[in-house]
Amino acid sequence: TLNVANGGTGQTSFTAGQIHYGSFSTSSNLFWDSANNRLGVGTSSPGYTLSANGDIRTVTSNGNVGLTQGTATNSGYVSFWDAAGTTRSGYIGYATLAGSGNFVLSSDLATNSMIFQTNATERMRIDSSGNVGIGTNSPSTYGKFVTYSSGGYA
């Protein structure tokens, strides 16, 4: 037995597949399924190469991306956060809104627009007031489409 002070777990018996670290716990949060080459985080029965029981977030100095598990009213979503990880700027996912399930693409910030691009060029914008513009980055009406072509606005 290698005690904790010397880098061990202090345990004399182990469950196959458990990965022990720090202070030993019988409910280890990491599990390696060597038969299928799968890693479980928070689960002892990983169904995929990497299986996690809980929300996941990647963190960089430029921003965060989170994968959130579903709830009774939402089936999960991918969310986008600021670099500090404190303000969500938007998400893509499935949610129950107005009594039925919907695929949602959301911009959460009050003054930001939702912009659609092709070939690295803006093609359509929905601003924070709900105005929709196609071919313009400053739509000025609600409930109508404002489009712009070489001949002017339509």
Side-chain angles (χ1 to χ4, degrees), residues 31 33 72 78 84 142:
F31 184 87
D33 176 357
V78 177
Y142 180 78

Side-chain angles (χ1 to χ4, degrees), residues 30-61:
L30 297 175
F31 184 87
W32 178 250
D33 176 357
S34 59
N36 296 300
N37 292 323
R38 296 176 178 166
L39 177 64
V41 178
T43 178
S44 60
S45 56
Y48 302 94
T49 303
L50 174 62
S51 294
N53 182 12
D55 297 345
I56 300 171
R57 179 146 337 156
T58 62
V59 179
T60 70
S61 61

Side-chain angles (χ1 to χ4, degrees), residues 20-121:
H20 301 287
Y21 57 94
S23 297
F24 177 76
S25 169
T26 56
S27 59
S28 180
N29 288 325
L30 297 175
F31 184 87
W32 178 250
D33 176 357
S34 59
N36 296 300
N37 292 323
R38 296 176 178 166
L39 177 64
V41 178
T43 178
S44 60
S45 56
Y48 302 94
T49 303
L50 174 62
S51 294
N53 182 12
D55 297 345
I56 300 171
R57 179 146 337 156
T58 62
V59 179
T60 70
S61 61
N62 297 321
N64 298 283
V65 176
L67 300 174
T68 303
Q69 287 188 334
T71 65
T73 56
N74 298 309
S75 293
Y77 50 88
V78 177
S79 56
F80 304 93
W81 299 76
D82 64 357
T86 56
T87 303
R88 186 176 77 178
S89 56
Y91 68 93
I92 300 170
Y94 180 82
T96 301
L97 302 171
S100 62
N102 295 282
F103 181 79
V104 178
L105 175 63
S106 174
S107 175
D108 288 352
L109 302 177
T111 59
N112 286 19
S113 297
M114 187 175 297
I115 299 170
F116 298 85
Q117 293 184 332
T118 61
N119 197 25
T121 302

